[in-house]
Amino acid sequence: MKTIGRRACLQIAFCFVFFSLVLTADSALAQSGGELRFCLRSEPKTFDPLLVDEDASLSIRYLTGGVLVRVNRHSQELEPELAESWTISKDGRQITFKLRHGILFSDGSPFSAEDVAFTMQRLMDPALHSSTGDSFRSGSGAVSTKIVAPDEIAIIFPAPIAGVDRLFDQVAIMSAHSPKKEAAVLGPFMVAEYKAGSSVLLQRNPNYWKKDSKGRRLPYLDSIRLDIQPNRDVEMLRFKRGELDLINTLDSDYFDRLASSSPGLAHDAGATLDSDFMWFNQVASAPIPEYKRAWFASGNFRRAISQAINRDDLARVVFGGHAQPAIGPVSTSNKFWFNSKLKVEPYRPDAALERLKADGFHLQNGVLFDKSGNAVEFSIVTNAGSKPRERMAVMVQEDLGKLGIKVNVVTLDFPSLIERISQKFNYEAAMLGFRNVDLDPNGQMNIWLSSAEDHAWNPQQKSPATAWEAEIDRLMRAQASSVDPKKRKESFDRVQEIVAEQAPFIYLVNPNALSAVAASVEGANPGILSPQTFWNAERLTVNGTTRASR
Amino acid sequence: MNVARKLACAVVVAVCAVSLAANWLAPEGYAKQFRETPNAPPSHQHWLGTDDVGRDRFARVLYGTRISLLLAPAAALISTALAVLVGGLAGYLGGIWLRLARGFTDLFLSLPWLFLLITVRALLPLNVSPMVSVLITFFVLGVLGWAASARVLSTSADGLRNSDFILQARASGLHGPRLFFVHVLPNLKPVLYAQFWISIPVFILSEANLGILGLGVAEPMPSWGSLLRELEGLISFREEPWKLAPLLLLIVVMTSFQLLLSNEEVTA
């Protein structure tokens, strides 16, 4: 009895030690993510996921919001999230989602089709003024929802919306019943603390539904601390000191400095969807001389200017090689929508001069004159404070100087610039950038339709001023009303070709997505789509032991 | 003249002389872009390296110095003339004119000048050459920078108005513009000189401030303001100390002006 008792005690002790070790190890695996720290460049304006329209709030929505489908920031493919599957009706007016079972909000309330219906109704409420909701407004009439089953919901639109499924990447589902309202979330993290002007602390959502391939519950990280820091110098200093783990977007100057001191930490993911471009004022009522209006209305003149700009130099000198010469409205990084038949306009000043001569321009003593004898001179306005754009304007000034064209570069404070280019039209040429977050061309409807406010070179036309603008209008409407991706692609390819032929916008460069990721961050895979560095935040871990001054 | 003042005078003269010799010292000019070597360190070809788009920094410092040093005194002249017109005349006339002028001057001084400059700059025509833009920038600075000097001058002229020699001149039948130009203005000279010298560094720094905001002299024309914009990246100081050259030159010239100024102020 005595021997048996001793053996039993030993066995019990062994089992206790074994299971303790297993439990500790499992707990360590599940809880070993640590805290990720990075900066928001401005104060988040809202925590309501349906009202988000600026970078800081977008970042928080991305980290806390649960969505039905998610665009994979790396493959650019649409992936199921809260919805297991979805179908779009043939007429493109209805999308039906089949939802996952057993999902809970961060406060423990269950997720169902009712929450999706509630979110859509709130999103489409005109009184809410949601910019996310605006992208779902396809025609007159209301958007309705139909709960088919607790795990199935149909959303019906008054008119077809092309690429409607991808729009749900931006819709964070809210709880219909939780008293915590927007604080109850379905994403990997939830807001735990907000100190105005200082920081936002996000903590792991204990009810997050996703697990990794080994069955461990995501996210790995315990928390994310977002410090509000608008100063980029300070942000870089703090990163170098090891106080931050990520810098989501870097300027090329900072990138090069970091790459030279710590090459492993600087990441260049390639060309973004953003572009910098210039255009000429073609507004009929603009207070500019008639002969200049005639230059700017000429496709030959615009193409000649485009040919006389050395885009390779812009990318190499201004962006230190961290940009690609732009081809058109779609970046080469947009895998599906880019028209691969188009090439970068080559730098050919001789060809540009020939093209100008065809329009009656002539060179005399190094100065270009038009057929009426007016010396060719115009100003380019751009926003003060944007160093890359100011540098590009100076380089364009020199490039065009070689053709005998005198360019005056004018930098203006942003409100004055916007007033000139969108209200008074008192400018000749402008240089600005387009921050594109949407892969789908529907996101550019407000630019290409001749009646649109953002049709920068000649906005809000009652009827298209030129035949090629009428053709763009037709093609853009055709792609927007079709649900066949192939037909949509054909239409938008042709739009890109017309833009290349007519050069209403002279595209200059697509800057690269530059970021910094500390060695302590494991699992990071920076991409070109926003949020570049933390798009897979649920799978990131921070190793505290390797966190040190860089 | 004490040693410090002599030294300051020598520095200002030397800087002016070197900047006037810019065409000879930097024959490539301030605008030529050596695109193969942007942001280059100092070399035999580029003594102070090149800027972001490959322009020779030494040439830009020389030409920028010339522009800032020549046009700041011109702007100072405009502002001092306006100050005489408003402050000097109001002080001489006294009474309601003096009160009106002081009220107007106080109102003008209370305006946020930087925003005023930005607004005025935005209203100017766009299609002007860089040289004209330089002239416009300093002209605007001169036109908007008279108020502080006018206040000082109005007080001085007010004091003169009640002085014995003015009373004697009046008693002798002298009045109107002749009294102002023959007796009042010559006695305001020391204050005028002091205000003129004070205004020069103020306008140089104002242009530098506008330049830092990207609203100063138009590209490709250099000025101290546009040159100082290169210092925005604080982290690079130790790595690229040659970028500090325009700042050092600005400090040396400003200090020299202050040393020159002290004596004028004592005289005033």
Side-chain angles (χ1 to χ4, degrees), chain A residues 233 236 292 313 316-317 381 384 387 390-391 394-395 397-399 406 408 410-411 413 416 420 426 428, chain B residues 31 33 35-36 52-53 55 118 122 124 126-130 213-215 218-220 229 232 235 239:
Chain A
D233 294 330
M236 176 56 97
K292 287 193 179 182
D313 275 2
R316 185 176 52 78
V317 175
V381 291
K387 266 184 152 183
E390 286 174 29
R391 290 177 203 161
V394 170
M395 291 182 73
Q397 184 183 45
E398 174 150 302
D399 283 342
K406 189 177 173 192
N408 300 308
V410 183
T411 52
D413 61 296
S416 305
R420 276 187 188 264
N426 186 7
E428 291 173 348
Chain B
Q33 296 172 6
R35 292 187 182 179
E36 294 309 311
D52 298 332
V53 291
R55 295 175 295 196
I118 290 171
L124 293 173
L126 299 180
N127 225 340
V128 291
S129 67
L213 293 171
L215 299 164
E219 290 280 7
R229 286 196 74 195
E232 281 175 352
I235 297 168
E239 295 160 20

Side-chain angles (χ1 to χ4, degrees), chain A residues 48-50 68 99 105 111-125 128 143-147 153-155 171-184:
Chain A
D48 186 333
L50 305 187
L68 297 172
L99 308 178
F105 280 90
F111 162 68
S112 71
E114 264 187 79
D115 301 309
V116 179
F118 167 76
T119 303
M120 285 309 293
Q121 281 157 14
R122 187 164 176 264
L123 182 73
M124 301 314 296
D125 181 354
L128 191 71
V143 175
S144 59
T145 55
K146 184 178 160 192
I147 298 173
I153 183 166
I155 300 164
V171 183
I173 303 300
M174 297 179 72
S175 171
H177 303 294
S178 171
K180 289 194 165 184
K181 296 184 176 174
E182 66 253 28

Side-chain angles (χ1 to χ4, degrees), chain A residues 491-504:
Chain A
S491 297
F492 197 59
D493 275 357
R494 180 67 195 130
V495 170
Q496 292 174 66
E497 284 163 15
I498 295 171
V499 172
E501 286 158 16
Q502 297 295 334

Side-chain angles (χ1 to χ4, degrees), chain A residues 483-496:
Chain A
V483 288
D484 179 353
K486 198 179 163 193
K487 282 185 183 166
R488 294 188 65 209
K489 175 88 167 80
E490 280 171 10
S491 297
F492 197 59
D493 275 357
R494 180 67 195 130
V495 170
Q496 292 174 66

Side-chain angles (χ1 to χ4, degrees), chain A residues 81-266:
Chain A
E81 285 274 309
L82 297 171
E84 278 178 345
S85 61
W86 62 97
T87 51
I88 300 171
S89 63
K90 281 185 182 174
D91 64 1
R93 289 181 57 236
Q94 180 175 317
I95 183 165
T96 307
F97 290 103
K98 179 88 176 148
L99 308 178
R100 290 182 198 275
H101 294 275
I103 293 176
L104 299 176
F105 280 90
S106 56
D107 68 339
S109 54
F111 162 68
S112 71
E114 264 187 79
D115 301 309
V116 179
F118 167 76
T119 303
M120 285 309 293
Q121 281 157 14
R122 187 164 176 264
L123 182 73
M124 301 314 296
D125 181 354
L128 191 71
H129 301 294
S130 165
S131 57
T132 310
D134 288 343
S135 50
F136 288 96
R137 291 186 218 285
S138 58
S140 55
V143 175
S144 59
T145 55
K146 184 178 160 192
I147 298 173
V148 183
D151 62 350
E152 193 173 338
I153 183 166
I155 300 164
I156 303 121
F157 300 96
I161 302 177
V164 67
D165 46 357
R166 298 181 87 90
L167 297 179
F168 283 90
D169 172 81
Q170 305 290 318
V171 183
I173 303 300
M174 297 179 72
S175 171
H177 303 294
S178 171
K180 289 194 165 184
K181 296 184 176 174
E182 66 253 28
V185 295
L186 291 163
F189 299 93
M190 55 189 190
V191 177
E193 183 185 71
Y194 169 49
K195 290 181 183 167
S198 173
S199 64
V200 181
L201 178 67
L202 307 180
Q203 279 184 341
R204 168 196 287 134
N205 173 2
N207 297 324
Y208 188 53
W209 60 277
K210 254 192 213 176
K211 291 181 178 174
D212 68 10
S213 55
K214 291 177 183 168
R216 287 180 298 185
R217 192 176 281 273
L218 296 174
Y220 297 137
L221 289 168
D222 298 321
S223 58
I224 299 179
R225 182 170 291 281
L226 306 166
D227 291 336
I228 298 161
Q229 177 53 261
N231 188 310
R232 295 185 179 203
D233 294 330
V234 174
E235 187 181 22
M236 176 56 97
L237 279 170
R238 291 190 63 198
F239 179 80
K240 285 194 160 188
R241 284 185 200 141
E243 293 171 14
L244 299 174
D245 301 305
L246 298 176
I247 300 180
N248 200 41
T249 54
L250 271 178
D251 291 339
S252 58
D253 290 350
Y254 291 110
F255 180 88
D256 284 337
R257 277 180 224 148
L258 183 66
S260 62
S261 60
S262 317
L265 309 186

